[in-house]
Amino acid sequence: MTTSTTPWAAPVARGPVSAVVELPGSKSMTNRALILAAHSPDGAVLTGALRSRDTLLMAAALRALGIGVEEDGTTWRVSPGTPTAPASIDCGLSGNVMRFVPPLAALADGPVAFDGDPHARTRPMGPLLGALRDLGVAIDDGGRGLLPFTLRGTGAVAGGTVVLDASSSSQLVSGLLLSAPGYGKGVELRHDGPPVPSAPHLEMTVRMLREAGASVETEPDVWRVAPGALRGGEWKIEPDLSNAAQFLAAALVTDGEVTVRHWPEHTTQPGDRLRDLLALMGGEVSWSAERGLTVRGTGAIHGVDVDLSACSELAQVLAMVAALADSPSRFRGIGHIRGHETDRLAALVTEITRLGGDAEETADGLVIRPRPLHGGLFHTYDDHRMVMAAATLGLAVPGVEVENPATVGKTLPTFTELWTRMLELS
C-alpha cells in the first residue's frame, strides 16, 4: 500500500471550472478481462487497460499462477496457460483480486495462499469460500471466512449448483461466474438473501462472459454458466466512469462546465448513473459521440433522496456535493459499503462532522443536512475514494488538508495531477 506522510492541500476553485478530461481505463473491466483472458487457450490483448495498484495486483496474481502478463503502457498481453501451484497471492486491498482469483486458483494442482493489507482481512469472503467448498475445493481459513486462507486444488473443479448470500458484494457472484466455464459442469449459482448490490457490475460480468464466448443464462437471483473454452482476441477497455464522479461534480460545485471524453453511449458501468444523479442535483447534462459527457453547473445544488445500491462507489463524492446543497439529502441502499476499503458510512459521517457539517448514518445509508463548513484535516482511511471526495469538497471549502493522497494509486494514480491541471487550465 502506498502512503504519503504530508497531507495534500486540496485546491480551492478560483472561479467556474472549465475543463475537458480524459480518464484511464476501467478497473472493473480491466480486471474482468484479465481473468477471462487467463481462461482462454489463445490468451488475449487488452487495449486501454488501467495501470493502477488494483490491476497490477491482478496481473501479479496471474503471474504467480503461471499465466503470462506483459504490460506495454495501456496495451497488455495475456499468454495462455494452466494455473499452477504452489503460489502466494497478495490481494492488497483489492476486492477484485480477493474474490476473482480464488475461483481461478482452484483449478491449480496444489496450495495457493491468499493474504492482503490489514483492512483486507475484514472484508467479507465467507460466502465465496463456502461456495467453493460446496464445489469440492479444500480451503484452510481457520473458520474465519476471511483472509488469510489457503486453497488446496487438485487441478480441476467439478462444478455444479451452489447457493450463497451475496448481499455484501456482487463480486462474490462475479468471481465464481468468471471462472465457471473452466469447471467440469460449469456453475449454476443461486443467491439467497437480501438484494445483491451493484447490479450493473453483474451485468458487466455477464456481458463480458458472453463476449468471450461463454453460454450464460440468467433469471432473478440465478446465473447459469456452461462449461467450455473461451475466445481470446482483443478487449477494448472503456474509460473508468466511476472515476469521473469528482471531475463532473466539479462543474456543479463551481458553477462551471466539465466534459469527460470518450464516454460510451451504452455501457454496463455503474458510473453511467452520474448522468441522472448530477442532473437531479442541479446540473445540466448532455452527451455527444464527438465530445463525450458534459455537465454544466446552474448556480444551484439540490439535495436528493436516491437509492445508490446500483452505484455505491459514487456515494462518497456525491456526499460531498450534498454537503454543499441547498437542502438535505438521503442516500439509500448502501449499507454494504461498511465492508468496503473502510467502513465508508462511518468515515463519511466522521469527516463531514469534523469539518462542521451535519451527517448521520441510517440502517442502509446516510442523511446529510447542509451547514457552513470549514477547513481541516480530512482523514482518508487508506480509501482512494475518500481522497477524491475530499478534493471535491475542497473546491468550495478553503483549508481542506487531505491525508495520504497517494492511496488513489489503487484505481487512479494520476488523480492529483489531473485535478490540479483541471483547475490550472480553468
Side-chain angles (χ1 to χ4, degrees):
M1 178 178 59
T2 303
T3 59
S4 51
T5 57
T6 303
W8 174 53
V12 178
R14 296 171 294 183
V17 169
S18 177
V20 177
V21 180
E22 294 200 25
L23 293 175
S26 162
K27 176 202 74 173
S28 299
M29 294 187 71
T30 297
N31 279 339
R32 281 166 173 77
L34 287 171
I35 292 289
L36 293 171
H39 280 285
S40 169
D42 303 317
V45 176
L46 283 61
T47 59
L50 172 67
R51 184 181 177 85
S52 73
R53 187 184 186 217
D54 272 19
T55 59
L56 291 172
L57 284 167
M58 182 66 79
L62 297 187
R63 292 190 192 105
L65 293 171
I67 297 162
V69 182
E70 297 178 2
E71 308 154 29
D72 182 9
T74 60
T75 300
W76 293 19
R77 292 174 174 79
V78 181
S79 304
T82 301
T84 58
S88 294
I89 306 297
D90 176 12
C91 300
L93 196 50
S94 172
N96 281 182
V97 176
M98 67 180 68
R99 290 159 182 158
F100 293 0
V101 178
L104 172 66
L107 294 167
D109 187 2
V112 181
F114 289 80
D115 203 353
D117 292 356
H119 188 73
R121 296 181 176 184
T122 70
R123 301 190 70 177
M125 287 294 301
L128 176 64
L129 300 183
L132 287 171
R133 284 192 181 99
D134 290 343
L135 294 173
V137 181
I139 302 171
D140 299 332
D141 68 341
R144 300 180 312 276
L146 301 167
L147 290 169
F149 58 84
T150 299
L151 297 183
R152 302 191 182 279
T154 60
V157 178
T161 299
V162 290
V163 179
L164 59 76
D165 178 353
S167 58
S168 60
S169 175
S170 65
Q171 294 171 351
L172 302 169
V173 175
S174 289
L176 280 170
L177 298 185
L178 288 167
S179 287
Y183 295 177
K185 299 176 183 177
V187 168
E188 178 180 293
L189 190 155
R190 295 179 174 270
H191 164 67
D192 182 14
V196 182
S198 301
H201 277 134
L202 291 175
E203 295 171 14
M204 179 187 296
T205 297
V206 169
R207 190 197 75 185
M208 292 182 71
L209 274 162
R210 287 174 172 158
E211 289 178 357
S215 173
V216 186
E217 298 177 357
T218 66
E219 57 186 82
D221 290 335
V222 180
W223 300 263
R224 300 181 185 89
V225 181
L230 299 182
R231 291 193 293 265
E234 181 178 338
W235 289 102
K236 294 183 178 180
I237 307 300
E238 297 172 357
D240 195 315
L241 306 188
S242 295
N243 277 338
Q246 58 277 3
F247 295 99
L248 295 174
L252 268 69
V253 172
T254 69
D255 195 19
E257 177 177 313
V258 175
T259 296
V260 174
R261 295 284 310 279
H262 311 301
W263 196 284
E265 183 176 8
H266 304 289
T267 180
T268 54
Q269 288 194 62
D272 198 43
R273 282 287 312 279
L274 287 165
R275 302 194 202 206
D276 301 327
L277 292 166
L278 293 179
L280 287 173
M281 299 187 87
E284 293 181 354
V285 181
S286 60
W287 177 90
S288 74
E290 295 77 22
R291 282 182 57 80
L293 190 75
T294 299
V295 175
R296 299 176 185 87
T298 60
I301 302 174
H302 305 311
V304 291
D305 184 342
V306 291
D307 185 335
L308 298 182
S309 58
C311 54
S312 61
E313 60 264 57
L314 306 180
Q316 287 145 294
V317 167
L318 294 179
M320 299 302 114
V321 179
L324 301 168
D326 57 15
S327 59
S329 292
R330 179 182 293 269
F331 298 126
R332 295 176 283 105
I334 53 174
H336 63 282
I337 70 175
R338 292 184 172 97
H340 280 203
E341 282 82 345
T342 186
D343 179 340
R344 286 178 163 174
L345 296 184
L348 285 167
V349 168
T350 298
E351 299 312 311
I352 291 172
T353 303
R354 190 194 308 278
L355 300 185
D358 181 0
E360 66 173 312
E361 291 187 48
T362 65
D364 74 336
L366 291 170
V367 172
I368 298 171
R369 304 175 188 90
R371 290 176 54 180
L373 300 172
H374 56 75
L377 181 63
F378 193 107
H379 295 278
T380 53
Y381 308 88
D382 296 324
D383 186 338
H384 57 134
R385 299 208 189 277
M386 290 296 286
V387 176
M388 299 167 186
T392 305
L393 192 67
L395 291 171
V397 180
V400 174
E401 299 282 325
V402 186
E403 178 191 58
N404 191 19
T407 195
V408 294
K410 178 178 171 66
T411 58
L412 187 55
T414 59
F415 168 68
T416 56
E417 291 88 346
L418 288 169
W419 192 254
T420 302
R421 188 182 313 135
M422 175 183 73
L423 295 172
E424 289 175 347
L425 295 177
S426 296

